[in-house]
Amino acid sequence: MKYIGIIPARYASTRFPGKPLALLGGKPVIQRVYEQVSSLLDATYVATDDDRIYEAVLGFGGKAIMTSPTHKSGTDRIEEAMEKIGGDYDVVVNIQGDEPFVRREQIEALCACFADPNTQIATLGKPFDSMEATENPNSPKIVVDNNGFALYFSRSVIPFVRNKERKDWLDAYPFLKHLGLYAYRRDVLSEITRLPQSSLEIAESLEQLRWLQNGYRIRVGITEQETVGIDTPEDLERAEEFLRWGNE
């Protein structure tokens, strides 16, 4: 199978304008993301709507493609990029442009999901390590079936553990944190970008619920590696510290 990685990157951001070009350890964040994954896949592109990001990627020797500024989601941007790139790629990997420490093991776990022909979409889950983290609504939870396919994603703590004190829930059930890495079979990517928003997606503000609600099967790979996202300038400072301690 042939795998292509697409890294959506916008310049505009409410909390951190210009984030992809912010320097982390002397390199733009988008360069660090690109370098982490480009050797693991058959091809890698940055999909952007901004000339500055486009030129920066070409400047460090990467591949980039310009896309429309009107897309409402990274998934839509990736589909436009794939239409322009073409090629006979089987699986498209969506890599977050603000996660410069994405791991080889995470990409490999994501791609391994497609050994099962029933996998249409793949994503990753990581076991929670504290009940406090589990209760954070900004960390969506995943419930999976016995074959490793997602049953539901929620910002709420699911499932509810009956007859246990809340502090003991983590010992009673292996709660899974959803990590925002996705991969799609090429034809499935085209299909899901044509779907209208669903009621569950709107309620939870989770795009993947649109796909589940329309009957698509999402395989969940398991990783023990945490992601380190950069949403604010403060996050960038923490990432500098992370890098300084040799976790590049």
Side-chain angles (χ1 to χ4, degrees):
M1 296 181 73
K2 290 185 67 177
Y3 297 84
I4 181 171
I6 305 292
I7 308 169
R10 295 186 311 122
Y11 191 90
S13 169
T14 303
R15 290 187 287 178
F16 195 171
K19 176 172 57 176
L21 301 183
L23 294 182
L24 174 59
K27 295 180 180 181
V29 169
I30 194 65
Q31 181 176 352
R32 290 202 171 271
V33 177
Y34 190 96
E35 291 176 349
Q36 287 287 96
V37 301
S38 59
S39 65
L40 308 178
L41 302 165
D42 296 293
T44 304
Y45 284 80
V46 172
T48 186
D49 60 359
D50 189 272
D51 290 332
R52 290 162 290 189
I53 296 173
Y54 180 84
E55 294 298 334
V57 174
L58 298 186
F60 65 70
K63 296 178 180 178
I65 193 156
M66 290 294 294
T67 53
S68 169
T70 63
H71 290 305
K72 294 182 178 179
S73 73
T75 313
D76 294 335
R77 191 176 306 283
I78 289 169
E79 171 60 18
E80 183 192 350
M82 286 305 302
E83 289 173 359
K84 291 181 174 179
I85 294 167
D88 57 347
Y89 297 101
D90 301 292
V91 174
V92 183
V93 182
N94 176 354
I95 299 127
Q96 300 298 312
D98 57 4
E99 294 188 354
F101 303 109
V102 58
R103 303 286 189 175
R104 168 186 287 271
E105 294 84 0
Q106 293 172 326
I107 299 299
E108 290 174 346
L110 199 61
C111 292
C113 291
F114 292 91
D116 182 345
N118 293 313
T119 300
Q120 297 175 296
I121 303 168
T123 193
L124 293 182
K126 176 190 178 296
F128 278 102
D129 54 16
S130 74
M131 198 59 210
E132 181 182 6
T134 307
E135 293 175 327
N136 183 350
N138 293 318
S139 294
K141 275 59 71 175
I142 320 171
V143 173
V144 298
D145 67 16
N146 291 341
N147 296 311
F149 287 94
L151 289 170
Y152 195 68
F153 298 79
S154 182
R155 297 185 183 278
S156 297
V157 180
I158 55 170
F160 180 90
V161 181
R162 192 174 182 183
N163 299 324
K164 292 277 188 182
E165 291 188 32
R166 205 168 181 91
K167 65 181 179 62
D168 297 323
W169 281 18
L170 210 59
D171 295 326
Y173 184 84
F175 290 90
L176 272 183
K177 176 182 180 179
H178 179 227
L179 303 185
L181 280 165
Y182 294 101
Y184 328 83
R185 292 195 188 275
R186 178 65 189 96
D187 58 335
V188 171
L189 174 63
S190 294
E191 293 171 8
I192 63 176
T193 54
R194 293 195 292 267
L195 297 172
Q197 279 194 303
S198 73
S199 57
L200 289 174
E201 174 192 10
I202 293 169
E204 296 250 24
S205 191
L206 295 173
E207 184 184 14
Q208 63 270 32
L209 291 176
R210 182 192 315 185
W211 314 332
L212 274 187
Q213 199 167 356
N214 279 277
Y216 287 90
R217 303 197 72 192
I218 305 175
R219 166 80 72 173
V220 181
I222 303 299
T223 178
E224 296 297 328
Q225 303 287 338
E226 184 62 89
T227 55
V228 180
I230 298 175
D231 292 320
T232 66
E234 291 74 24
D235 290 338
L236 184 64
E237 293 177 10
R238 285 191 286 272
E240 284 281 5
E241 187 70 17
F242 192 78
L243 188 62
R244 196 173 300 121
W245 283 96
N247 291 297
E248 183 173 0

